[in-house]
Amino acid sequence: MKKYFFLLLPFFSTVSDEQTVTYFADTISTENLEKHLSFLASDSLRGRLTGSKEQKIAAVYLAKYFQENGLKAIVAQNTSDSSFFQSFYIKKYFGGQHSIMLNPTNKMSRAKNVIATENVIGFLEGTDKKEEVLVISAHYDHIGTKNGTVFNGADDDGSGTVAMMEMARVFSEAKKQGKSPRRSILFIAFAGEEYGLLGSEYYTEKPVIPLKNTICDLNIDMIGRIDELHANQKNYVYLIGSDKISQELHALSERNNALFTNLKLDYSYNSESHPQQLYYRSDHYNFAKNKIPIIFYFDGEHPDYHQSTDDVDRIDFELLKKRTQLVFYTAWDIANREGTLN
């Protein structure tokens, strides 16, 4: 009997692990996703333009959410306190170009062509591998208003932002129930993406945890809609970059999808030579430049992209939930596996 017991033990362990992650993935809620998106993509936030008072209202909303869900503030301040806000400055040039300012003086930061903004960062500490960090990211800025019309950015990237928020809640709840991830997880809402990936550029130049400790970035930028190519097959998501730096990450992603979500993983945009150049166009790229494995989750360009019609009532929340679950399953696996990603 002992012989059979030990032979079966790994099987039972695997089943138990799958039941645990499925239990928590099933708590990802369409109601929560819709509630948070209805605020972040409301007319009152006027398109969350980087540097605007409405973007800062969104930042406070995110920080309060992280705090309420037990995440730690770890951005060092001049005082002994830490913050959820990683403040930085953007210089605006004639012609609409922008760049980050790494070490501005007080006088420089007060110039008329300088924008003050902030990334919002929440930290969930792991257990025996807590020095290693998984980043889950999304940008929460959008393009503001034009001629009095609000561009709410419900999909771009309100959808990714609320997906990240919901995963932060679920991972935190798992930790409360004694199922803490082995590795630490850093949830980052980036500002300045629409100005040229500037929030993630600033973070990778001045990381709150050394980049050498960051094992992966799962970046979510638009996962709430269906593009025209999938009008008759909406059970899909585009993946970009999963095989660029780590073949193990690509295989892990494929395996978790096959086990749990069964989405069609569309790699049409994955080529670095694709005309749309999407590998270079969202915040994951600043991690990839530093040889950190990444996956970029994306729903495709649709007619409402960067239009005033990118509103909450056009989001498919059931599909948003399922795509969020795919990211969650992948994140859980990365955070708890024995080895790093090669």
Side-chain angles (χ1 to χ4, degrees):
M1 290 299 293
K2 287 183 179 179
K3 180 179 180 181
Y4 290 108
F5 173 78
F6 285 116
L7 285 172
L8 290 172
L9 185 58
F11 170 77
F12 285 125
S13 177
T14 301
V15 170
S16 176
D17 291 344
E18 289 182 8
Q19 289 174 340
T20 299
V21 66
T22 299
Y23 168 79
F24 288 109
D26 285 346
T27 67
I28 292 171
S29 160
T30 55
E31 290 79 12
N32 288 342
L33 293 166
E34 185 168 4
K35 177 180 74 173
H36 296 304
L37 189 57
S38 294
F39 175 73
L40 291 172
S42 63
D43 285 349
S44 64
L45 261 63
R46 298 181 61 77
R48 308 183 305 280
L49 182 69
T50 292
S52 68
K53 67 178 182 180
E54 290 83 13
Q55 175 254 300
K56 294 177 184 299
I57 290 170
V60 170
Y61 184 85
L62 287 161
K64 182 179 179 182
Y65 181 85
F66 285 163
Q67 184 177 41
E68 289 174 346
N69 283 281
L71 274 63
K72 294 182 180 178
I74 62 166
V75 182
Q77 303 295 293
N78 293 329
T79 66
S80 59
D81 295 331
S82 295
S83 175
F84 289 104
F85 303 117
Q86 184 186 43
S87 300
F88 64 101
Y89 295 93
I90 295 172
K91 188 172 183 179
K92 184 176 181 179
Y93 297 92
F94 181 78
Q97 298 300 309
H98 300 80
S99 67
I100 57 170
M101 302 172 70
L102 286 175
N103 298 294
T105 64
N106 286 336
K107 183 178 180 180
M108 292 167 63
S109 66
R110 294 195 298 269
K112 290 183 178 179
N113 66 331
V114 170
I115 299 167
T117 190
E118 46 280 310
N119 298 324
V120 189
I121 302 173
F123 179 71
L124 187 74
E125 188 173 49
T127 54
D128 60 307
K129 294 179 178 290
K130 64 183 178 182
E131 301 304 319
E132 298 175 13
V133 178
L134 165 66
V135 172
I136 300 177
S137 62
H139 75 89
Y140 72 104
D141 63 312
H142 194 51
I143 60 175
T145 64
K146 295 180 181 180
N147 301 317
T149 300
V150 180
F151 289 66
N152 284 320
D155 194 28
D156 184 17
D157 182 31
S159 62
T161 302
V162 299
M164 179 198 65
M165 292 171 69
E166 187 67 350
M167 282 187 283
R169 180 189 66 80
V170 174
F171 269 109
S172 182
E173 181 59 33
K175 183 171 183 175
K176 291 176 186 175
Q177 295 188 30
K179 299 295 182 182
S180 175
R182 299 178 70 186
R183 292 177 175 84
S184 298
I185 305 178
L186 208 57
F187 297 89
I188 310 180
F190 289 119
E193 193 270 354
E194 299 289 359
Y195 283 155
L197 318 185
L198 299 185
S200 55
E201 180 183 354
Y202 186 82
Y203 178 83
T204 53
E205 290 287 341
K206 292 184 176 291
V208 299
I209 295 173
L211 289 186
K212 66 180 181 180
N213 293 23
T214 300
I215 66 165
C216 184
D217 171 45
L218 301 179
N219 184 55
I220 316 162
D221 193 348
M222 297 174 56
I223 61 165
R225 295 287 300 274
I226 303 161
D227 70 1
E228 293 177 346
L229 294 175
H230 295 86
N232 297 317
Q233 168 54 285
K234 73 175 187 177
N235 192 50
Y236 79 99
V237 65
Y238 290 104
L239 264 62
I240 300 164
S242 62
D243 62 346
K244 302 300 182 190
I245 299 168
S246 168
Q247 287 296 322
E248 275 191 283
L249 175 60
H250 181 75
L252 179 154
S253 168
E254 289 268 340
R255 183 174 68 250
N256 279 283
N257 181 61
L259 276 172
F260 300 114
T261 46
N262 292 306
L263 288 160
K264 177 188 177 184
L265 304 184
D266 193 324
Y267 296 100
S268 299
Y269 291 110
N270 192 48
S271 171
E272 294 169 53
S273 61
H274 189 282
Q276 295 285 14
Q277 296 283 284
L278 291 180
Y279 181 64
Y280 307 97
R281 286 177 52 189
S282 192
D283 290 305
H284 62 277
Y285 183 62
N286 283 310
F287 291 89
K289 284 195 305 184
N290 286 280
K291 307 302 181 185
I292 295 168
I294 64 92
I295 301 178
F296 169 25
Y297 300 87
F298 180 59
D299 60 19
E301 292 191 359
H302 47 73
D304 298 317
Y305 171 70
H306 277 198
Q307 301 299 315
S308 61
T309 48
D310 184 6
D311 289 324
V312 174
D313 61 3
R314 302 195 177 194
I315 297 294
D316 184 327
F317 283 99
E318 286 295 335
L319 186 55
L320 174 54
K321 173 182 175 178
K322 191 168 186 179
R323 290 165 172 167
T324 303
Q325 287 174 320
L326 172 62
V327 185
F328 177 80
Y329 281 118
T330 304
W332 184 282
D333 196 347
I334 294 168
N336 289 293
R337 73 197 307 265
E338 185 59 36
T340 56
L341 297 164
N342 295 316

